[in-house]
Amino acid sequence: MPTETMRRGVLRWRGVVKRDGQIVATKWFGKGEKERRKAIIWEEEEKKRLEKEAKEHARHQQQASPIRTGLPQSLDWGNRYLSDVQRRCADKTYGEKKAAIRRFLLFTRGGALAEFPPAIALQYLQEQFDNRSGHAANKDRKNLMTAWEWGRKYVDEFPNLANPFAAVGRFPEDPHPRYVPSETDFWKVYQETTEQDKVMLSCFLYLAARRGELFRLTWTDVDFRNGLVRLTTRKTRDGSMRADWIPMVDELKSVLRQWWTDRPYPDSEYVFTMLGNTFPGHQPGGPFKHRQHVMKKLCEKAGVKKFGFHAIRHLTAVILYKEGKPVSMIQKILRHQHPMTTERYLASLGFEVEEMKKALQILSNREPQKGKVIPFAQKGKTSQAST
């Protein structure tokens, strides 16, 4: 059945088709009862279409000649690639790549890799564009391109074919700046928090931290004597863990000291821990893995537009930029490895247009000033001054 889901600030109906508990097709509709009925009809038709395709594919497989032994299969390629990614990358990156591989294998129904020409890649990515977005299609294209190149290097007898995903051009995206809450809205939400959440929001703002960096933060990473906090991330080229020491401002040092004194689980090594025992798998005193709804509830309580943890990192960058701090300094605080990453980051927040406007402002008021025109005396006429 369709579900009502918030998308880009609008509550819309989303049709979903599942097979064996996995989502195999999804499509967005508008809001209202009429759009809900459309979503129901689409789900029913999509289920019939997928069932028909599955039967045709099974019949084709029975009639087709056996695949040569030794020819690499797509499922083996996907599993081996994801196994390597899981060892090297952050959980979020692994989850994104896993989802892209799963969607593609469901679309193609598996098979030999040699059966995937650019036309198949194009059909798959077009479906992602139609049902999800241009941005989603381009993300899958990037991840599948990388997976294909990995297969070239590490999978025996991998097809000696051009990368079919690289042959497909990028899809148009609907560019819009990332939403960044105002300082006023952030502090409104901050006032609605208590104890641990207040400390966590302070760390997000004053350290420009990522969610995973705070979830894995331990008390050994907090150096009160020297006023430093160590943040660790896998956002590196090879997926290895990198640590950076970030200075603490006085406000952050104060709230962390107080939290050290008041923390409910003194034996836990983690700064931020799960509290209470409200559902299966919940481990009081253990580190967070997900906090999916906390910011939504806090924003609703504060009466402001919803924003997430990562938007606070954006807010830190905005404040620093508006205060005139150079990109090189913002890069160090955000801990980007390359300055171009920071420039793209700021551009995604809408500052590229602002900088262009400032640059073009130089051209203003450059029209020559109109002075007094002194006429020349005409030939054959004697000026009044010479008489």
Side-chain angles (χ1 to χ4, degrees):
M1 292 293 291
T3 57
E4 270 192 306
T5 307
M6 189 69 69
R7 190 186 192 203
R8 296 179 182 175
V10 178
L11 197 62
R12 300 172 60 182
W13 288 103
R14 183 190 184 198
V16 175
V17 177
K18 293 184 177 181
R19 177 175 293 170
D20 298 327
Q22 301 290 329
I23 296 176
V24 294
T26 180
K27 186 174 181 179
W28 289 94
F29 295 82
K31 60 181 180 178
E33 180 61 24
K34 185 176 180 181
E35 292 296 307
R36 187 182 74 87
R37 290 196 294 269
K38 286 183 181 179
I40 293 173
I41 293 171
W42 175 84
E43 286 183 346
E44 293 174 351
E45 292 178 347
E46 189 67 11
K47 286 177 184 176
K48 292 178 182 177
R49 185 184 71 80
L50 291 172
E51 288 174 1
K52 182 179 179 181
E53 283 187 359
K55 290 177 181 178
E56 290 177 353
H57 180 75
R59 186 168 59 252
H60 173 74
Q61 289 293 94
Q62 291 176 354
Q63 297 173 352
S65 59
I67 298 171
R68 298 193 312 273
T69 58
L71 196 63
Q73 302 295 297
S74 57
L75 184 59
D76 178 59
W77 158 68
N79 285 334
R80 290 172 62 183
Y81 171 65
L82 290 173
S83 178
D84 187 51
V85 170
Q86 192 171 25
R87 290 178 171 89
R88 298 173 182 273
C89 299
D91 290 344
K92 182 179 178 181
T93 303
Y94 169 72
E96 179 183 304
K97 292 180 181 293
K98 180 181 178 181
I101 293 287
R102 180 178 61 80
R103 281 190 291 266
F104 180 69
L105 295 182
L106 286 170
F107 176 83
T108 58
R109 306 279 192 262
L113 290 168
E115 299 174 354
F116 297 156
I120 295 295
L122 176 62
Q123 290 175 18
Y124 167 74
L125 293 171
Q126 285 176 335
E127 181 172 294
Q128 302 311 306
F129 176 83
D130 293 339
N131 293 333
R132 296 166 68 209
S133 68
H135 178 67
N138 289 333
K139 278 177 56 175
D140 276 13
R141 173 180 174 271
K142 179 195 70 174
N143 286 321
L144 291 168
M145 281 172 58
T146 303
W148 189 272
E149 293 304 320
W150 182 94
R152 283 184 191 279
K153 293 180 181 179
Y154 303 112
V155 177
D156 294 336
E157 298 188 33
F158 198 84
N160 187 24
L161 302 172
N163 191 321
F165 305 101
V168 180
R170 285 178 55 84
F171 288 83
E173 299 185 21
D174 182 16
H176 58 278
R178 300 179 183 182
Y179 173 66
V180 181
S182 66
E183 289 186 69
T184 302
D185 283 359
F186 170 81
W187 291 114
K188 283 182 180 179
V189 171
Y190 184 85
Q191 293 303 320
E192 296 296 335
T193 61
T194 57
E195 299 178 340
Q196 178 169 245
D197 289 341
K198 193 178 290 290
V199 182
M200 184 175 281
L201 290 192
S202 296
C203 286
F204 275 117
L205 181 69
Y206 293 125
L207 299 174
R210 302 177 178 94
R211 182 181 60 179
E213 293 170 342
L214 293 189
F215 285 5
R216 70 174 68 95
L217 188 68
T218 65
W219 286 111
T220 58
D221 296 321
V222 182
D223 182 354
F224 286 115
R225 177 176 295 179
N226 295 305
L228 298 170
V229 174
R230 179 171 55 192
L231 298 178
T232 57
T233 181
R234 287 192 183 275
K235 297 283 283 188
T236 55
R237 187 177 297 277
D238 60 359
S240 59
M241 192 69 78
R242 190 188 80 237
D244 297 287
W245 286 98
I246 311 299
M248 282 190 282
V249 298
D250 292 339
E251 292 91 334
L252 180 59
K253 192 173 182 178
S254 175
V255 296
L256 278 172
R257 277 193 180 279
Q258 189 61 49
W259 180 237
W260 163 261
T261 303
D262 300 337
R263 67 194 191 283
Y265 299 99
D267 294 333
S268 176
E269 64 176 316
Y270 293 98
V271 175
F272 302 109
T273 61
M274 290 185 276
L275 307 175
N277 189 6
T278 56
F279 55 86
H282 196 77
Q283 299 177 344
F288 287 107
K289 294 184 179 179
H290 308 285
R291 299 201 72 188
Q292 297 177 336
H293 305 297
V294 62
M295 286 303 296
K296 178 181 178 181
K297 293 177 180 177
L298 287 172
C299 288
E300 289 175 351
K301 193 174 180 181
V304 302
K305 183 176 178 180
K306 182 175 73 71
F307 61 90
F309 289 131
H310 204 71
I312 305 174
R313 178 174 162 87
H314 298 164
L315 176 60
T316 303
V318 168
I319 293 172
L320 294 171
Y321 185 83
K322 288 186 174 180
E323 289 294 325
K325 301 304 177 186
V327 173
S328 59
M329 179 55 65
I330 299 175
Q331 177 195 344
K332 290 180 180 179
I333 294 171
L334 296 178
R335 287 157 283 115
H336 290 152
Q337 291 184 287
H338 198 281
M340 284 298 295
T341 305
T342 309
E343 291 179 10
R344 288 195 299 268
Y345 195 92
L346 292 171
S348 73
L349 300 179
F351 284 113
E352 188 173 55
V353 174
E354 185 174 314
E355 284 300 303
M356 290 172 61
K357 183 178 179 180
K358 288 180 182 179
L360 291 172
Q361 195 67 31
I362 297 173
L363 302 176
S364 298
N365 301 318
R366 300 184 76 87
E367 181 182 355
Q369 296 295 319
K370 293 182 179 181
K372 184 178 180 180
V373 179
I374 303 176
F376 290 99
Q378 296 182 8
K379 292 182 179 180
K381 292 185 179 180
T382 305
S383 64
Q384 186 176 3
S386 61
T387 56

